[in-house]
Amino acid sequence: MNKTRKKLYILSLYQIIGGLIGVGYTIKLLLSIGSINGPLLLILIIAFVLFFFSIYSGYLLFKKRFIQGINLSIINNAFQVIGFGVLGYGFKYVSGLIAGLKIDLTNDIIFTIDFDITNWKMSYNSNPDLTYISINIIAIVVIGFLFNAKERIEKQKEISTIDLESE
């Protein structure tokens, strides 16, 4: 159980740092934009919400509110599993690291390895010919760890409850 808690502590820092970098990146982008229209404002709000969600998920784990933190961390990482671009619309969100596979279907089927750090890409009505899908293996591994950690913590709580009832 101690190893699980240490890994959750590391994950909490990973999510907090990834979220902070993302907020900084988004602010830098915001300052470089001349004018903001409705769709762009919506995209920026979504980016801020996602990165603050990452920070909050990490904060809950840091404060040892494990079940709540794990549940939100699973959601946070689920958003990071798949990125896509199709018919001019796209979404890719990474709060931390991405290491995975990218399949570009624009002109031919091209497989590439996708490595990157905290960023986001959301597009609307831009480059309708671009078609791709990316899969973040790190997010998948993190989700697997989180489900395993949640199961261990719930079993530990059951054992503690049984021990208290038998006394």
Side-chain angles (χ1 to χ4, degrees), residues 42-165:
L42 180 63
I43 286 173
L44 289 168
I45 289 170
I46 290 169
F48 277 119
V49 167
L50 287 171
F51 287 120
F52 280 117
F53 186 71
S54 179
I55 293 167
Y56 184 65
S57 301
Y59 170 79
L60 290 175
L61 291 176
F62 186 80
K63 287 296 191 177
K64 296 183 173 117
R65 293 169 56 188
F66 293 123
I67 298 301
Q68 199 176 15
I70 287 171
N71 288 336
L72 293 183
S73 295
I74 289 169
I75 295 167
N76 181 43
N77 281 277
F79 281 121
Q80 299 177 54
V81 171
I82 295 179
F84 67 90
V86 63
L87 300 173
Y89 297 90
F91 176 83
K92 183 177 177 184
Y93 160 66
V94 178
S95 181
L97 300 171
I98 182 173
L101 181 65
K102 182 176 181 180
I103 305 166
D104 188 337
L105 303 166
T106 305
N107 295 321
D108 203 357
I109 299 174
I110 301 171
F111 292 91
T112 57
I113 304 296
D114 196 6
F115 288 108
D116 210 346
I117 60 169
T118 298
N119 69 43
W120 59 269
K121 293 175 185 161
M122 288 177 242
S123 57
Y124 67 96
N125 214 12
S126 68
N127 199 355
D129 296 330
L130 182 65
T131 305
Y132 74 90
I133 187 166
S134 67
I135 301 167
N136 185 351
I137 295 171
I138 290 178
I140 293 169
V141 169
V142 168
I143 290 170
F145 163 72
L146 287 165
F147 276 114
N148 193 355
K150 183 177 179 182
E151 187 177 307
R152 287 181 183 184
I153 289 169
E154 287 173 343
K155 279 184 183 178
Q156 187 67 32
K157 282 186 177 182
E158 284 178 24
I159 292 169
S160 297
T161 305
I162 291 170
D163 287 345
L164 290 173
E165 289 173 358

Side-chain angles (χ1 to χ4, degrees), residues 22-36:
V23 167
Y25 172 72
T26 307
I27 289 171
K28 181 181 174 190
L29 181 68
L30 180 63
L31 295 175
S32 70
I33 296 172
S35 65
I36 299 175

